[in-house]
Amino acid sequence: MHQNLYMRNYISSILVLLCIFCHQNIWAQNANDSKITTFILVRHAEKADHTPNTDLSENGKKRAQALARLLSNVKIDAIYTTPLKRTQQTAQMVAEQNNLKINSYDVDSTFSLLTDHLTNKYKGKTILLVGHSNTLPVNIERLTQHKVDIPETEFDNVYIIQVNGNDHSVNMLQLKYGE
């Protein structure tokens, strides 16, 4: 059982690295001014309870560690989360690995334009975006024009979305991570 989980995590790590490698090398060969912006989107890890601003549960802390392991060889240029503790705690280890502060975004009237703003601000860079089961689908649809449903019970999805700034083409890879 543990060997299967290890293999799944190992394969997921390889796919993430392959995706980032493609971003940094293959597309960049096509044009020197090509600017591929990569979004890594995850839902916060498991929460301790159902109070509005709860911490991560023990399983959530393990999942946050798994996210940090998964992204340990990926250069993250910016991290954005909602102001809630569970999203910030999910991103904390990745922030420490990359010597970054966690930026907050609000789910307000300008929220639907968040990914447009980040694409322009971090053109050619990699952004980790941690949200919720009701906010990530908005961001994913804005970037890809495809609807995604994230059930309230799922915490193990990683969406890697690359936006080509030259022709506005988009590639998306969905992975699972953690145990």
Side-chain angles (χ1 to χ4, degrees):
M1 171 94 168
H2 290 291
Q3 187 175 12
N4 287 339
L5 289 173
Y6 175 79
M7 284 304 294
R8 186 179 79 172
N9 290 339
Y10 178 74
I11 290 169
S12 293
S13 296
I14 288 174
L15 288 173
V16 168
L17 295 176
L18 178 62
C19 185
I20 300 300
F21 175 78
C22 289
H23 160 243
Q24 294 174 344
N25 293 303
I26 296 172
W27 284 344
Q29 291 174 8
N30 293 331
N32 288 336
D33 61 347
S34 177
K35 293 292 183 183
I36 307 298
T37 304
T38 302
F39 286 88
I40 301 171
L41 297 100
V42 298
R43 180 180 180 206
H44 63 79
E46 292 88 338
K47 52 190 178 177
D49 56 48
H50 294 289
T51 58
N53 196 21
T54 187
D55 290 304
L56 293 179
S57 67
E58 286 306 312
N59 284 340
K61 292 174 185 174
K62 290 177 185 174
R63 186 167 310 280
Q65 292 170 345
L67 180 64
R69 280 192 308 274
L70 180 68
L71 300 177
S72 64
N73 292 316
V74 177
K75 182 184 181 309
I76 305 294
D77 298 294
I79 298 173
Y80 282 80
T81 73
T82 64
L84 299 178
K85 289 192 281 187
R86 60 186 173 268
T87 57
Q88 294 175 350
Q89 290 169 354
T90 300
Q92 185 60 45
M93 284 182 263
V94 176
E96 291 169 3
Q97 286 175 177
N98 289 277
N99 296 316
L100 293 172
K101 69 177 187 115
I102 296 174
N103 301 292
S104 289
Y105 66 90
D106 291 316
V107 183
D108 58 14
S109 61
T110 63
F111 167 70
S112 64
L113 301 175
L114 174 66
T115 54
D116 294 352
H117 169 73
L118 295 177
T119 299
N120 291 327
K121 184 174 182 177
Y122 295 102
K123 190 173 187 178
K125 303 216 181 265
T126 300
I127 306 143
L128 173 63
L129 187 63
V130 182
H132 306 272
S133 62
N134 63 339
T135 62
L136 288 182
V138 173
N139 291 310
I140 293 166
E141 184 175 358
R142 183 75 179 182
L143 289 166
T144 67
Q145 307 304 308
H146 294 287
K147 290 186 184 273
V148 173
D149 180 47
I150 302 174
E152 187 65 29
T153 57
E154 287 187 10
F155 301 92
D156 60 350
N157 291 300
V158 175
Y159 301 89
I160 301 170
I161 301 172
Q162 296 182 317
V163 179
N164 185 324
N166 290 337
D167 63 11
H168 304 289
S169 62
V170 176
N171 292 310
M172 181 172 86
L173 176 65
Q174 179 183 352
L175 304 170
K176 300 283 188 181
Y177 78 103
E179 297 180 25

